[in-house]
Every structure is written in C-alpha cells, then in structure tokens.
Amino acid sequence: RKEVEQDPGPFNVPEGATVAFNCTYSNSASQSFFWYRQDCRKEPKLLMSVYSSGNEDGRFTAQLNRASQYISLLIRDSKLSDSATYLCVVNMGGGTGGFKTIFGAGTRLFVKA
Amino acid sequence: GAVVSQHPSWVICKSGTSVKIECRSLDFQATTMFWYRQFPKQSLMLMATSNEGSKATYEQGVEKDKFLINHASLTLSTLTVTSAHPEDSSFYICSALQDGADTQYFGPGTRLTVL
C-alpha cells in the first residue's frame, strides 16, 4: 500500500462546478498535511495547509480526518485556471527518524468552458 | 512569501559531463533542503535530504557518488550530477524547509537534457 494515495483522475468538470479530491495516508504518526498545486512543467506551489478543524481559503476548503487518515480538498465555482495537478503532501518525523515528506501521485483536474 | 530560486532553469549537456544545479532560499534560512526528480507524467520522487553542515541523506536507490550534494550555507544547496547519461534527463526540483516551520517551498526546477 502506498504511503499517500490519491485518485489520479483526471477529473473533467465544467466551469462553475464543485469538485472534491480525496487523499488517504497510511502512517498514523504523520504530523502535518498540505495540498500543493502543480501546473504542467512547473514546480509544486503550496495551496494550503490542512487542519482537523478545517481550513478555508476563498473557493478552496481543506479538511483532515485523523481517525480515518483522510484528507480532502473541495474546490467551489471552478475556474479554467484551476486546471492543474493537485498533490496531497504528508510530513512525518523530526527527531531521530528525521523529517520526511511524502507526496501523493497527484490528481489531475481539467476545468472546461 | 518565501522564495526559492534554482539555477540554471534548463541545461543541455553531453553524456559524460557533470552538471551543477544551485538551490537558494532568498528570504529565509533553510537548514534543510530537499532534492527531487520528476519524470514526465510521474510524481515527484525524493532523491535526498540536504542538511547544512552535514552529509546529505540519500533515498534508497539514489547513488550518492553520482548525485553529489553540498549544503554549505543556510541559504544554498547544490546538486551535481556527475558523468551524466541520457537516463538522467529529468526535471530536478529543490525545496527548502523554512527553519522553525514545516512547510516546504519549491524552486522553479531545472530541466536537464543529456544528449
């Protein structure tokens, strides 16, 4: 089982649609969680951190469920510019084990006019 | 926001030559930086963790003698691909972990093509 799993998609949605991405992680000791966005042939860019209390930034809402080891990202009122690959990222460690970041393989989103 | 630069942004070299890629955190200190590689249509793969003032930690399957990492200051890490071969052609991305935080900021990447 992969340490971080995402549905690769692609998700093809019309402009204005609401779309949700899910991510699961296997290590219960994981400490912090993020969603990154990566455009084609570009570096990943931080979209938002994810907390158990939920985190909202404009049209984007992220949620963490530690009991289920599950992370979600909701995008409302999709724009053409939202088309990208969304990466679920989990940080583990510190201490003697060292800091470790695990990336999901990404979920591709295409928003169409 | 935190900015990470990478240089060069792209490089084409002949097989057998060495290529050095620089990663700089421009407005923050980063004791820890990471080097990733990404092949087309694949996810980021961590190659190594670079720690200022100590040896890098390499992931399984990554040859430390081929991919030399030096983290000489709190704002600079370098990756040298030695004796490059066509199969080393890839998108190399660094990231810097801001001291005291757990968020990584990525450089814009270096696209390496080995002929």
Side-chain angles (χ1 to χ4, degrees), chain A residues 38 40-42 105, chain B residues 36-47 61-62 66-67 81 85-93 110-114:
Chain A
Q38 186 175 25
C40 187
R41 300 173 72 87
K42 299 284 188 180
Chain B
Y36 296 86
R37 182 166 55 181
Q38 187 174 35
F39 292 105
K41 298 187 179 180
Q42 294 187 24
S43 59
L44 285 166
M45 295 299 296
L46 179 65
M47 298 176 66
V62 178
K66 179 168 179 65
F67 299 98
V81 183
H85 287 95
E87 57 265 32
D88 298 324
S89 300
S90 187
F91 190 43
Y92 292 83
I93 309 174
T110 297
R111 196 159 299 280
L112 171 64
T113 301
V114 184

mmCIF file of all heavy atoms in Angstrom, chain A residues 38 40-42 105, chain B residues 36-47 61-62 66-67 81 85-93 110-114:
data_model
loop_
_atom_site.group_PDB
_atom_site.id
_atom_site.type_symbol
_atom_site.label_atom_id
_atom_site.label_comp_id
_atom_site.label_asym_id
_atom_site.label_seq_id
_atom_site.Cartn_x
_atom_site.Cartn_y
_atom_site.Cartn_z
ATOM 1 N N GLN A 38 0.358 21.734 -8.857
ATOM 2 C CA GLN A 38 1.459 21.710 -9.818
ATOM 3 C C GLN A 38 0.909 21.854 -11.221
ATOM 4 O O GLN A 38 0.103 21.044 -11.670
ATOM 5 C CB GLN A 38 2.297 20.426 -9.700
ATOM 6 C CG GLN A 38 3.539 20.447 -10.585
ATOM 7 C CD GLN A 38 4.449 19.255 -10.402
ATOM 8 O OE1 GLN A 38 4.015 18.184 -9.984
ATOM 9 N NE2 GLN A 38 5.733 19.430 -10.709
ATOM 10 N N CYS A 40 1.618 22.057 -15.375
ATOM 11 C CA CYS A 40 2.443 21.257 -16.275
ATOM 12 C C CYS A 40 3.833 21.879 -16.426
ATOM 13 O O CYS A 40 3.962 23.072 -16.722
ATOM 14 C CB CYS A 40 1.750 21.140 -17.627
ATOM 15 S SG CYS A 40 2.562 20.028 -18.744
ATOM 16 N N ARG A 41 4.856 21.107 -16.184
ATOM 17 C CA ARG A 41 6.250 21.502 -16.371
ATOM 18 C C ARG A 41 6.673 22.631 -15.424
ATOM 19 O O ARG A 41 7.595 23.390 -15.697
ATOM 20 C CB ARG A 41 6.512 21.905 -17.819
ATOM 21 C CG ARG A 41 6.222 20.785 -18.801
ATOM 22 C CD ARG A 41 6.312 21.260 -20.249
ATOM 23 N NE ARG A 41 7.673 21.516 -20.669
ATOM 24 C CZ ARG A 41 8.475 20.605 -21.167
ATOM 25 N NH1 ARG A 41 8.070 19.363 -21.276
ATOM 26 N NH2 ARG A 41 9.692 20.916 -21.555
ATOM 27 N N LYS A 42 5.959 22.731 -14.312
ATOM 28 C CA LYS A 42 6.298 23.735 -13.304
ATOM 29 C C LYS A 42 6.514 23.058 -11.955
ATOM 30 O O LYS A 42 6.184 21.885 -11.775
ATOM 31 C CB LYS A 42 5.170 24.757 -13.166
ATOM 32 C CG LYS A 42 4.879 25.538 -14.425
ATOM 33 C CD LYS A 42 5.914 26.599 -14.661
ATOM 34 C CE LYS A 42 5.511 27.497 -15.821
ATOM 35 N NZ LYS A 42 6.519 28.549 -16.083
ATOM 36 N N ALA A 105 0.685 10.922 -5.664
ATOM 37 C CA ALA A 105 0.983 10.958 -7.095
ATOM 38 C C ALA A 105 0.241 12.087 -7.809
ATOM 39 O O ALA A 105 0.566 12.416 -8.941
ATOM 40 C CB ALA A 105 0.638 9.619 -7.733
ATOM 41 N N TYR B 36 14.463 16.715 -5.448
ATOM 42 C CA TYR B 36 13.510 15.795 -6.053
ATOM 43 C C TYR B 36 13.813 15.651 -7.540
ATOM 44 O O TYR B 36 14.433 16.511 -8.156
ATOM 45 C CB TYR B 36 12.080 16.333 -5.920
ATOM 46 C CG TYR B 36 11.561 16.468 -4.507
ATOM 47 C CD1 TYR B 36 11.806 17.615 -3.750
ATOM 48 C CD2 TYR B 36 10.798 15.464 -3.929
ATOM 49 C CE1 TYR B 36 11.322 17.747 -2.463
ATOM 50 C CE2 TYR B 36 10.300 15.592 -2.638
ATOM 51 C CZ TYR B 36 10.570 16.724 -1.919
ATOM 52 O OH TYR B 36 10.080 16.855 -0.645
ATOM 53 N N ARG B 37 13.272 14.593 -8.079
ATOM 54 C CA ARG B 37 13.347 14.379 -9.519
ATOM 55 C C ARG B 37 11.950 13.983 -9.985
ATOM 56 O O ARG B 37 11.240 13.257 -9.270
ATOM 57 C CB ARG B 37 14.354 13.264 -9.822
ATOM 58 C CG ARG B 37 14.567 12.967 -11.288
ATOM 59 C CD ARG B 37 15.795 12.110 -11.495
ATOM 60 N NE ARG B 37 15.787 10.892 -10.729
ATOM 61 C CZ ARG B 37 16.776 10.001 -10.750
ATOM 62 N NH1 ARG B 37 17.843 10.216 -11.490
ATOM 63 N NH2 ARG B 37 16.703 8.908 -10.034
ATOM 64 N N GLN B 38 11.597 14.472 -11.145
ATOM 65 C CA GLN B 38 10.272 14.141 -11.673
ATOM 66 C C GLN B 38 10.394 13.823 -13.147
ATOM 67 O O GLN B 38 10.791 14.672 -13.954
ATOM 68 C CB GLN B 38 9.294 15.299 -11.456
ATOM 69 C CG GLN B 38 7.857 14.964 -11.826
ATOM 70 C CD GLN B 38 6.888 16.076 -11.460
ATOM 71 O OE1 GLN B 38 7.216 17.251 -11.537
ATOM 72 N NE2 GLN B 38 5.675 15.711 -11.063
ATOM 73 N N PHE B 39 10.020 12.609 -13.500
ATOM 74 C CA PHE B 39 9.964 12.209 -14.903
ATOM 75 C C PHE B 39 8.581 12.539 -15.437
ATOM 76 O O PHE B 39 7.619 12.676 -14.667
ATOM 77 C CB PHE B 39 10.286 10.722 -15.041
ATOM 78 C CG PHE B 39 11.716 10.388 -14.700
ATOM 79 C CD1 PHE B 39 12.030 9.761 -13.498
ATOM 80 C CD2 PHE B 39 12.748 10.718 -15.566
ATOM 81 C CE1 PHE B 39 13.346 9.463 -13.174
ATOM 82 C CE2 PHE B 39 14.066 10.430 -15.249
ATOM 83 C CZ PHE B 39 14.361 9.804 -14.042
ATOM 84 N N PRO B 40 8.465 12.668 -16.770
ATOM 85 C CA PRO B 40 7.182 13.078 -17.365
ATOM 86 C C PRO B 40 6.026 12.206 -16.901
ATOM 87 O O PRO B 40 6.125 10.982 -16.854
ATOM 88 C CB PRO B 40 7.437 12.929 -18.865
ATOM 89 C CG PRO B 40 8.907 13.139 -19.016
ATOM 90 C CD PRO B 40 9.522 12.522 -17.789
ATOM 91 N N LYS B 41 4.956 12.873 -16.509
ATOM 92 C CA LYS B 41 3.712 12.224 -16.107
ATOM 93 C C LYS B 41 3.873 11.337 -14.875
ATOM 94 O O LYS B 41 3.046 10.447 -14.648
ATOM 95 C CB LYS B 41 3.113 11.425 -17.269
ATOM 96 C CG LYS B 41 2.757 12.295 -18.454
ATOM 97 C CD LYS B 41 2.018 11.520 -19.523
ATOM 98 C CE LYS B 41 1.661 12.438 -20.679
ATOM 99 N NZ LYS B 41 0.926 11.729 -21.755
ATOM 100 N N GLN B 42 4.915 11.576 -14.118
ATOM 101 C CA GLN B 42 5.102 10.835 -12.876
ATOM 102 C C GLN B 42 5.154 11.805 -11.704
ATOM 103 O O GLN B 42 5.282 13.011 -11.876
ATOM 104 C CB GLN B 42 6.392 10.005 -12.929
ATOM 105 C CG GLN B 42 6.341 8.895 -13.963
ATOM 106 C CD GLN B 42 7.538 7.982 -13.888
ATOM 107 O OE1 GLN B 42 8.193 7.859 -12.846
ATOM 108 N NE2 GLN B 42 7.855 7.328 -14.989
ATOM 109 N N SER B 43 5.048 11.249 -10.507
ATOM 110 C CA SER B 43 5.058 12.114 -9.330
ATOM 111 C C SER B 43 6.484 12.464 -8.934
ATOM 112 O O SER B 43 7.446 11.863 -9.400
ATOM 113 C CB SER B 43 4.346 11.424 -8.173
ATOM 114 O OG SER B 43 4.983 10.201 -7.862
ATOM 115 N N LEU B 44 6.586 13.452 -8.067
ATOM 116 C CA LEU B 44 7.887 13.826 -7.516
ATOM 117 C C LEU B 44 8.484 12.658 -6.748
ATOM 118 O O LEU B 44 7.795 12.002 -5.977
ATOM 119 C CB LEU B 44 7.717 14.983 -6.548
ATOM 120 C CG LEU B 44 7.460 16.370 -7.113
ATOM 121 C CD1 LEU B 44 6.986 17.281 -6.010
ATOM 122 C CD2 LEU B 44 8.711 16.911 -7.753
ATOM 123 N N MET B 45 9.770 12.450 -6.956
ATOM 124 C CA MET B 45 10.467 11.412 -6.199
ATOM 125 C C MET B 45 11.604 12.069 -5.423
ATOM 126 O O MET B 45 12.461 12.721 -6.012
ATOM 127 C CB MET B 45 11.024 10.346 -7.140
ATOM 128 C CG MET B 45 9.958 9.571 -7.884
ATOM 129 S SD MET B 45 8.847 8.665 -6.783
ATOM 130 C CE MET B 45 9.976 7.517 -6.032
ATOM 131 N N LEU B 46 11.578 11.894 -4.123
ATOM 132 C CA LEU B 46 12.637 12.456 -3.302
ATOM 133 C C LEU B 46 13.945 11.720 -3.576
ATOM 134 O O LEU B 46 13.988 10.486 -3.528
ATOM 135 C CB LEU B 46 12.272 12.347 -1.819
ATOM 136 C CG LEU B 46 13.309 12.866 -0.829
ATOM 137 C CD1 LEU B 46 13.488 14.379 -0.978
ATOM 138 C CD2 LEU B 46 12.894 12.533 0.596
ATOM 139 N N MET B 47 14.988 12.488 -3.853
ATOM 140 C CA MET B 47 16.299 11.895 -4.078
ATOM 141 C C MET B 47 17.119 11.912 -2.795
ATOM 142 O O MET B 47 17.747 10.927 -2.423
ATOM 143 C CB MET B 47 17.055 12.667 -5.150
ATOM 144 C CG MET B 47 16.397 12.672 -6.505
ATOM 145 S SD MET B 47 17.294 13.704 -7.656
ATOM 146 C CE MET B 47 18.833 12.810 -7.818
ATOM 147 N N GLY B 61 18.247 3.641 -3.504
ATOM 148 C CA GLY B 61 18.342 3.579 -4.960
ATOM 149 C C GLY B 61 18.985 4.794 -5.597
ATOM 150 O O GLY B 61 19.214 4.797 -6.814
ATOM 151 N N VAL B 62 19.278 5.816 -4.822
ATOM 152 C CA VAL B 62 19.936 7.019 -5.355
ATOM 153 C C VAL B 62 21.420 6.937 -5.031
ATOM 154 O O VAL B 62 21.796 6.824 -3.863
ATOM 155 C CB VAL B 62 19.320 8.294 -4.753
ATOM 156 C CG1 VAL B 62 20.038 9.526 -5.287
ATOM 157 C CG2 VAL B 62 17.834 8.361 -5.054
ATOM 158 N N LYS B 66 27.037 9.618 -7.510
ATOM 159 C CA LYS B 66 26.625 10.161 -8.798
ATOM 160 C C LYS B 66 25.931 11.520 -8.614
ATOM 161 O O LYS B 66 26.086 12.417 -9.420
ATOM 162 C CB LYS B 66 25.680 9.205 -9.506
ATOM 163 C CG LYS B 66 25.199 9.745 -10.839
ATOM 164 C CD LYS B 66 24.504 8.686 -11.653
ATOM 165 C CE LYS B 66 24.027 9.286 -12.965
ATOM 166 N NZ LYS B 66 25.141 9.703 -13.807
ATOM 167 N N PHE B 67 25.196 11.620 -7.551
ATOM 168 C CA PHE B 67 24.457 12.848 -7.262
ATOM 169 C C PHE B 67 25.060 13.474 -5.993
ATOM 170 O O PHE B 67 24.666 13.165 -4.871
ATOM 171 C CB PHE B 67 22.970 12.564 -7.073
ATOM 172 C CG PHE B 67 22.310 11.977 -8.292
ATOM 173 C CD1 PHE B 67 22.107 10.609 -8.395
ATOM 174 C CD2 PHE B 67 21.915 12.799 -9.340
ATOM 175 C CE1 PHE B 67 21.500 10.062 -9.526
ATOM 176 C CE2 PHE B 67 21.310 12.266 -10.471
ATOM 177 C CZ PHE B 67 21.106 10.899 -10.568
ATOM 178 N N VAL B 81 25.214 16.488 -10.791
ATOM 179 C CA VAL B 81 25.006 15.219 -11.475
ATOM 180 C C VAL B 81 26.312 14.894 -12.185
ATOM 181 O O VAL B 81 26.707 15.580 -13.132
ATOM 182 C CB VAL B 81 23.847 15.306 -12.482
ATOM 183 C CG1 VAL B 81 23.604 13.948 -13.133
ATOM 184 C CG2 VAL B 81 22.582 15.823 -11.813
ATOM 185 N N HIS B 85 24.209 10.789 -17.924
ATOM 186 C CA HIS B 85 23.801 9.928 -19.026
ATOM 187 C C HIS B 85 22.392 10.297 -19.451
ATOM 188 O O HIS B 85 21.654 10.929 -18.683
ATOM 189 C CB HIS B 85 23.874 8.459 -18.615
ATOM 190 C CG HIS B 85 25.271 7.952 -18.506
ATOM 191 N ND1 HIS B 85 25.959 7.930 -17.307
ATOM 192 C CD2 HIS B 85 26.136 7.483 -19.429
ATOM 193 C CE1 HIS B 85 27.174 7.458 -17.509
ATOM 194 N NE2 HIS B 85 27.316 7.176 -18.787
ATOM 195 N N PRO B 86 21.996 9.909 -20.660
ATOM 196 C CA PRO B 86 20.651 10.270 -21.128
ATOM 197 C C PRO B 86 19.536 9.887 -20.154
ATOM 198 O O PRO B 86 18.549 10.613 -20.033
ATOM 199 C CB PRO B 86 20.541 9.511 -22.456
ATOM 200 C CG PRO B 86 21.942 9.480 -22.962
ATOM 201 C CD PRO B 86 22.798 9.281 -21.731
ATOM 202 N N GLU B 87 19.701 8.803 -19.438
ATOM 203 C CA GLU B 87 18.649 8.393 -18.499
ATOM 204 C C GLU B 87 18.547 9.310 -17.284
ATOM 205 O O GLU B 87 17.594 9.203 -16.499
ATOM 206 C CB GLU B 87 18.857 6.945 -18.035
ATOM 207 C CG GLU B 87 20.187 6.664 -17.386
ATOM 208 C CD GLU B 87 21.216 6.116 -18.362
ATOM 209 O OE1 GLU B 87 21.159 6.485 -19.547
ATOM 210 O OE2 GLU B 87 22.082 5.349 -17.922
ATOM 211 N N ASP B 88 19.541 10.211 -17.128
ATOM 212 C CA ASP B 88 19.467 11.210 -16.054
ATOM 213 C C ASP B 88 18.635 12.422 -16.460
ATOM 214 O O ASP B 88 18.361 13.303 -15.633
ATOM 215 C CB ASP B 88 20.872 11.686 -15.658
ATOM 216 C CG ASP B 88 21.736 10.569 -15.103
ATOM 217 O OD1 ASP B 88 21.181 9.691 -14.392
ATOM 218 O OD2 ASP B 88 22.949 10.557 -15.376
ATOM 219 N N SER B 89 18.246 12.480 -17.728
ATOM 220 C CA SER B 89 17.415 13.586 -18.194
ATOM 221 C C SER B 89 16.108 13.591 -17.415
ATOM 222 O O SER B 89 15.397 12.588 -17.375
ATOM 223 C CB SER B 89 17.129 13.441 -19.693
ATOM 224 O OG SER B 89 18.335 13.453 -20.436
ATOM 225 N N SER B 90 15.817 14.704 -16.806
ATOM 226 C CA SER B 90 14.632 14.780 -15.943
ATOM 227 C C SER B 90 14.437 16.225 -15.499
ATOM 228 O O SER B 90 15.206 17.115 -15.863
ATOM 229 C CB SER B 90 14.830 13.870 -14.722
ATOM 230 O OG SER B 90 13.653 13.784 -13.947
ATOM 231 N N PHE B 91 13.404 16.415 -14.729
ATOM 232 C CA PHE B 91 13.115 17.711 -14.106
ATOM 233 C C PHE B 91 13.565 17.601 -12.653
ATOM 234 O O PHE B 91 13.023 16.785 -11.903
ATOM 235 C CB PHE B 91 11.613 17.988 -14.220
ATOM 236 C CG PHE B 91 11.174 19.373 -13.852
ATOM 237 C CD1 PHE B 91 11.880 20.483 -14.263
ATOM 238 C CD2 PHE B 91 10.011 19.565 -13.116
ATOM 239 C CE1 PHE B 91 11.461 21.770 -13.940
ATOM 240 C CE2 PHE B 91 9.577 20.846 -12.788
ATOM 241 C CZ PHE B 91 10.304 21.944 -13.200
ATOM 242 N N TYR B 92 14.555 18.385 -12.288
ATOM 243 C CA TYR B 92 15.094 18.342 -10.934
ATOM 244 C C TYR B 92 14.564 19.561 -10.162
ATOM 245 O O TYR B 92 14.721 20.696 -10.613
ATOM 246 C CB TYR B 92 16.619 18.340 -10.946
ATOM 247 C CG TYR B 92 17.205 17.063 -11.501
ATOM 248 C CD1 TYR B 92 17.338 16.865 -12.879
ATOM 249 C CD2 TYR B 92 17.587 16.028 -10.649
ATOM 250 C CE1 TYR B 92 17.840 15.678 -13.384
ATOM 251 C CE2 TYR B 92 18.093 14.840 -11.147
ATOM 252 C CZ TYR B 92 18.217 14.672 -12.507
ATOM 253 O OH TYR B 92 18.713 13.483 -13.007
ATOM 254 N N ILE B 93 13.957 19.288 -9.035
ATOM 255 C CA ILE B 93 13.348 20.366 -8.247
ATOM 256 C C ILE B 93 13.905 20.323 -6.826
ATOM 257 O O ILE B 93 13.985 19.249 -6.224
ATOM 258 C CB ILE B 93 11.817 20.214 -8.180
ATOM 259 C CG1 ILE B 93 11.223 20.033 -9.565
ATOM 260 C CG2 ILE B 93 11.186 21.412 -7.490
ATOM 261 C CD1 ILE B 93 9.724 19.744 -9.538
ATOM 262 N N THR B 110 14.814 22.624 -12.523
ATOM 263 C CA THR B 110 15.840 22.628 -13.575
ATOM 264 C C THR B 110 15.568 21.462 -14.504
ATOM 265 O O THR B 110 15.499 20.315 -14.054
ATOM 266 C CB THR B 110 17.252 22.474 -12.976
ATOM 267 O OG1 THR B 110 17.538 23.584 -12.131
ATOM 268 C CG2 THR B 110 18.309 22.379 -14.087
ATOM 269 N N ARG B 111 15.394 21.786 -15.755
ATOM 270 C CA ARG B 111 15.143 20.724 -16.736
ATOM 271 C C ARG B 111 16.473 20.322 -17.359
ATOM 272 O O ARG B 111 17.113 21.131 -18.034
ATOM 273 C CB ARG B 111 14.160 21.211 -17.800
ATOM 274 C CG ARG B 111 13.565 20.082 -18.601
ATOM 275 C CD ARG B 111 12.259 20.504 -19.277
ATOM 276 N NE ARG B 111 11.214 20.899 -18.340
ATOM 277 C CZ ARG B 111 10.440 20.065 -17.679
ATOM 278 N NH1 ARG B 111 10.587 18.767 -17.837
ATOM 279 N NH2 ARG B 111 9.504 20.519 -16.865
ATOM 280 N N LEU B 112 16.889 19.097 -17.089
ATOM 281 C CA LEU B 112 18.172 18.589 -17.589
ATOM 282 C C LEU B 112 17.942 17.647 -18.755
ATOM 283 O O LEU B 112 17.151 16.700 -18.646
ATOM 284 C CB LEU B 112 18.920 17.847 -16.473
ATOM 285 C CG LEU B 112 20.172 17.072 -16.889
ATOM 286 C CD1 LEU B 112 21.249 18.023 -17.416
ATOM 287 C CD2 LEU B 112 20.714 16.257 -15.721
ATOM 288 N N THR B 113 18.625 17.921 -19.841
ATOM 289 C CA THR B 113 18.609 17.025 -21.006
ATOM 290 C C THR B 113 20.033 16.607 -21.286
ATOM 291 O O THR B 113 20.911 17.454 -21.488
ATOM 292 C CB THR B 113 18.016 17.724 -22.235
ATOM 293 O OG1 THR B 113 16.687 18.157 -21.940
ATOM 294 C CG2 THR B 113 17.986 16.778 -23.428
ATOM 295 N N VAL B 114 20.262 15.319 -21.268
ATOM 296 C CA VAL B 114 21.591 14.779 -21.539
ATOM 297 C C VAL B 114 21.565 14.114 -22.906
ATOM 298 O O VAL B 114 20.754 13.202 -23.131
ATOM 299 C CB VAL B 114 22.032 13.782 -20.458
ATOM 300 C CG1 VAL B 114 23.459 13.310 -20.719
ATOM 301 C CG2 VAL B 114 21.913 14.390 -19.068
#
